[in-house]
């Protein structure tokens, strides 16, 4: 009997300790903890989801930094969905909450939070969207990913919301707070393993107004994603052309006047002459660190517009931002390809030849591949051959799947179809011949590029294409 009593006491003590720990971590009061206990529901992930998460964490993505791209893309989709539903139901936007995405790191709590003011989710949607894969063909999808022979067939990736689970690349626990305008309550989804998750009513009530906040409790060794500079780099690299504003909680220094103690001034000797020189003025100023929301994506994706609606000055300004320079491009082409794969491209000829144009090792290109305005890679030499590696610009397709790694992307059949389109003589040559059509540009192009282009001709059988540009006037 004493042993049973001791065991019961120990069990109760552990339960009390867990409640205290939860209260300290989430800042919950005893009353709020009671509300969580009364509304909390535990669920097991479907077997397919568990397998899918294992694939994502261990093989689908080649680098963990992809998680931020995926979560920002999901946030953008939620905002798009809200805007779409608001066409028929204007009450969804009656609160005048701006449509945006925010990212905030908390080094003390070791958390990274991604906010969006999109459509949010109801309790039922939380369970269905984040705990199950309610679509047919799921097992075939997983088998295709597991089978190395079918690794290139990635047509189904992106259709099951796999991007959300990339959060577990860097987090050992994920908490989702969400408020749907179709529900009067805000809910919390939480998972700290690949086996189960819990859903409960948020004891703090409606703190979001509308939308979703995904809190990542980072794993040990992933502290780099709490660094402001690292987050800025990733957002600008992958998501600078997202339709909605993306803000980062950032810091900057400001110089302010020091507060003067009035009591000490009264005690000062009035007869003392104070010389107000530059040194004394500097002593009255101090530097403070201020935190505020800083927008990360100011550059507009002009390639999504019709070429006839864009002025040449806009093309030049876009090239300046793309090349991080001040010189205008020699020429540009803006076209839309249709057929086996649909994509838009905006390509520029820079004013000067790159120094590494003939590098036989470097496979990177200054043409970046985007899927629905989200950066995927600039390492796709199969599409842009080395003799055209001087081109700068973007290629954007809605037909490719977003949730892909660079290695898997290179094997997709759609990419080979894109290669044929880009190699099309009419797409590239039209832009190049425009350069020579104007003597003032043609001479400049020939003198700047002739030596390099002659060397290119010795490597590639493309004389019919490039020979006209090697003649120095």
């Amino acid at each position: 009997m004493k042993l049973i009593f001791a065991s019961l006491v120990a069990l109760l003590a552990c339960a009390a300790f867990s409640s205290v720990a939860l209260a300290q971590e989430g800042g919950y009061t005893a009353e709020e903890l009671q509300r969580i206990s009364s509304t909390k529901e535990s669920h097991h992930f479907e077997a397919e989801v568990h397998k899918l998460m294992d694939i994502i964490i261990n093989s689908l993505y080649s680098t963990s930094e992809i998680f931020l791209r995926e979560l920002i893309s999901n946030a953008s989709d939620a905002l798009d969905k809200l805007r779409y539903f608001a066409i028929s139901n204007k009450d969804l936007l009656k609160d005048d909450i701006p449509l945006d995405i925010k990212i905030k790191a908390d080094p003390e709590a070791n958390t990274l939070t991604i906010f969006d003011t999109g459509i949010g989710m109801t309790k039922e949607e939380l369970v269905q969207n984040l705990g199950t894969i309610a679509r047919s063909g799921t097992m075939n999808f997983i088998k295709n990913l597991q089978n190395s022979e079918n690794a290139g067939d990635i047509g189904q990736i992106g259709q099951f919301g796999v991007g959300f689970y990339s959060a577990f690349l860097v987090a050992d626990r994920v908490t989702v707070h969400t408020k749907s305008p179709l529900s009067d309550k805000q809910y919390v989804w939480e998972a700290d393993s690949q086996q189960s998750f819990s859903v409960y009513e948020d004891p703090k009530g409606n703190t979001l107004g509308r939308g979703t906040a995904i809190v990542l409790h980072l794993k040990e060794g992933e502290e780099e994603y709490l660094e402001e500079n690292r987050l800025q780099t990733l957002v600008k690299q992958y998501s600078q052309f997202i339709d909605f504003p993306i803000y980062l909680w950032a810091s900057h220094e400001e110089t302010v006047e020091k507060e003067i103690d009035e009591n000490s001034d009264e005690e000062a000797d009035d007869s003392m002459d104070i010389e107000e020189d530059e040194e004394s003025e500097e002593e009255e100023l101090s530097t403070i660190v201020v935190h505020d929301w800083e927008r990360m994506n100011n550059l507009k994706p002009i390639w999504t517009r019709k070429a006839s609606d864009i002025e040449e000055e806009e093309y030049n300004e876009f090239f300046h931002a793309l090349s991080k320079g001040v010189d205008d491009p020699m020429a540009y082409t803006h076209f839309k390809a249709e057929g086996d794969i649909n994509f838009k491209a905006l390509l520029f000829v820079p004013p000067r030849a790159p120094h590494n144009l003939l590098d036989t090792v470097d496979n990177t290109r200054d043409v970046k591949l985007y899927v629905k305005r989200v950066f995927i890679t600039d390492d796709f030499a199969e599409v842009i051959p080395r003799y055209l590696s001087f081109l700068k610009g973007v290629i954007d397709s809605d037909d490719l799947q977003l949730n892909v790694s660079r290695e898997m992307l290179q094997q997709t059949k759609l990419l080979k179809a894109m290669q044929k389109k880009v190699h099309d003589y009419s797409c590239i040559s039209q832009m190049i011949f425009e350069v020579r059509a104007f003597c003032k540009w043609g001479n400049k192009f020939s003198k700047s590029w002739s030596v390099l282009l002659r060397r290119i001709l010795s490597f590639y059988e493309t004389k019919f294409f490039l020979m006209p540009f090697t003649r120095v006037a």
Side-chain angles (χ1 to χ4, degrees):
M1 181 66 70
K2 291 183 179 179
L3 181 60
I4 296 176
F5 178 77
S7 300
L8 182 60
V9 170
L11 182 62
L12 292 174
C14 290
F17 177 80
S18 299
S19 297
V20 171
L22 180 62
Q24 291 176 343
E25 182 177 352
Y28 296 126
T29 64
E31 183 180 353
E32 289 171 341
L33 287 173
Q34 188 174 2
R35 291 180 59 186
I36 291 176
S37 178
S38 62
T39 62
K40 188 173 184 177
E41 298 178 3
S42 296
H43 302 264
H44 285 282
F45 283 114
E46 282 190 345
E48 292 86 352
V49 176
H50 175 65
K51 293 178 181 178
L52 187 61
M53 291 171 67
D54 182 65
I55 292 172
I56 289 172
I57 294 172
N58 296 310
S59 60
L60 181 59
Y61 296 110
S62 57
T63 174
S64 63
E65 68 183 29
I66 295 298
F67 84 93
L68 190 59
R69 182 194 76 181
E70 300 298 299
L71 296 182
I72 290 176
S73 298
N74 284 355
S76 177
D77 290 342
L79 290 162
D80 271 327
K81 190 174 182 180
L82 174 69
R83 192 163 56 181
Y84 173 77
F85 285 131
I87 296 175
S88 57
N89 185 2
K90 295 183 179 180
D91 288 342
L92 294 178
L93 298 176
K94 65 181 180 180
D95 296 330
D96 293 328
I97 300 175
L99 302 178
D100 58 27
I101 301 167
K102 293 180 177 179
I103 304 169
K104 186 175 183 179
D106 187 344
E108 293 184 2
N110 196 42
T111 60
L112 179 66
T113 305
I114 296 91
F115 303 87
D116 73 70
T117 55
I119 191 65
M121 287 176 279
T122 63
K123 178 182 177 182
E124 293 73 19
E125 289 171 334
L126 272 177
V127 175
Q128 180 178 352
N129 295 344
L130 303 186
T132 65
I133 302 181
R135 294 176 183 266
S136 60
T138 300
M139 288 307 298
N140 290 333
F141 162 68
I142 295 173
K143 288 178 181 178
N144 284 337
L145 285 179
Q146 291 176 325
N147 189 338
S148 59
E149 295 180 357
N150 297 326
D153 184 11
I154 56 173
Q156 296 187 78
I157 297 181
Q159 297 181 15
F160 304 98
V162 300
F164 168 76
Y165 301 114
S166 66
F168 288 95
L169 288 170
V170 298
D172 51 20
R173 182 159 63 92
V174 178
T175 305
V176 178
H177 301 259
T178 186
K179 171 65 175 64
S180 168
L182 304 178
S183 173
D184 59 350
K185 295 180 180 179
Q186 181 170 304
Y187 289 95
V188 178
W189 179 100
E190 191 169 35
D192 57 4
S193 71
Q194 300 178 36
Q195 303 293 334
S196 62
F197 64 94
S198 58
V199 177
Y200 53 88
E201 183 180 335
D202 198 326
K204 294 186 178 298
N206 181 9
T207 60
L208 297 174
R210 182 192 68 229
T212 300
I214 301 177
V215 184
L216 308 182
H217 303 263
L218 298 180
K219 298 176 182 177
E220 184 178 355
E222 303 293 350
E223 292 80 7
E224 63 179 292
Y225 300 114
L226 298 173
E227 298 173 6
E228 185 179 315
N229 291 337
R230 178 70 166 137
L231 294 173
Q232 286 180 345
T233 300
L234 292 178
V235 172
K236 291 182 178 180
Q237 177 181 349
Y238 290 107
S239 308
Q240 65 175 328
F241 295 114
I242 291 291
D243 274 346
F244 304 96
I246 302 174
Y247 297 96
L248 177 67
W249 186 249
S251 62
H252 64 274
E253 293 184 347
E254 290 186 0
T255 302
V256 297
E257 293 184 2
K258 290 183 178 180
E259 294 184 2
I260 300 175
D261 189 346
E262 296 181 357
N263 294 330
S264 63
D265 288 344
E266 291 177 359
E267 296 175 359
D269 189 357
D270 295 336
S271 62
M272 182 180 297
D273 295 328
I274 302 177
E275 182 181 355
E276 295 184 352
D277 54 10
E278 294 182 358
E279 183 177 351
S280 64
E281 289 181 1
E282 290 180 0
E283 291 178 353
E284 293 177 358
L285 301 178
S286 63
T287 301
I288 61 173
V289 177
V290 178
H291 288 80
D292 201 357
W293 294 109
E294 180 179 338
R295 183 164 180 175
M296 296 287 102
N297 59 333
N298 292 307
L299 199 57
K300 301 296 183 182
I302 65 172
W303 69 83
T304 61
R305 297 158 52 190
K306 292 182 179 180
S308 57
D309 296 337
I310 305 175
E311 301 291 337
E312 183 173 356
E313 183 180 353
E314 292 182 84
Y315 283 119
N316 291 338
E317 290 177 354
F318 184 82
F319 177 76
H320 296 163
L322 201 66
S323 63
K324 296 179 174 61
V326 295
D327 294 329
D328 293 341
M330 295 289 293
Y332 57 84
T333 182
H334 183 186
F335 63 91
K336 180 179 180 180
E338 297 178 333
D340 295 336
I341 183 173
N342 300 322
F343 65 89
K344 296 178 181 179
L346 177 55
L347 304 174
F348 298 90
V349 177
R352 284 175 293 277
H355 69 280
N356 61 340
L357 180 61
L358 300 177
D359 193 332
T360 59
V361 178
D362 188 7
N363 285 325
T364 60
R365 299 291 185 264
D366 282 332
V367 177
K368 301 182 183 298
L369 177 63
Y370 288 80
V371 174
K372 300 176 183 177
R373 299 177 303 281
V374 176
F375 173 73
I376 299 297
T377 184
D378 58 2
D379 183 6
F380 58 131
E382 295 83 356
V383 174
I384 305 295
R386 191 149 35 112
Y387 67 85
L388 292 178
S389 62
F390 59 84
L391 295 176
K392 293 181 180 289
V394 298
I395 296 176
D396 189 3
S397 174
D398 289 349
D399 291 348
L400 293 171
Q401 300 299 331
L402 178 60
N403 303 105
V404 295
S405 64
R406 176 182 57 81
E407 293 82 358
M408 298 182 70
L409 176 66
Q410 290 174 342
Q411 301 178 42
T412 179
K413 296 177 181 178
L414 289 176
L415 204 62
K416 295 179 181 178
M418 180 183 290
Q419 177 187 34
K420 294 180 181 179
K421 295 287 185 181
V422 174
H423 282 215
D424 191 329
Y425 182 83
S426 62
C427 290
I428 304 298
S429 64
Q430 179 181 358
M431 171 184 61
I432 303 296
F433 279 109
E434 285 179 359
V435 176
R436 193 164 177 79
F438 300 94
C439 292
K440 62 178 181 179
W441 287 108
N443 291 338
K444 183 178 179 181
F445 181 84
S446 297
K447 293 176 182 178
S448 175
W449 293 76
S450 59
V451 175
L452 285 172
L453 291 181
R454 283 198 182 99
R455 292 181 62 187
I456 291 174
L457 292 179
S458 66
F459 293 119
Y460 303 98
E461 297 178 356
T462 55
K463 293 184 180 182
F464 71 94
F465 181 71
L466 293 173
M467 184 60 79
F469 311 109
T470 65
R471 302 169 189 161
V472 179

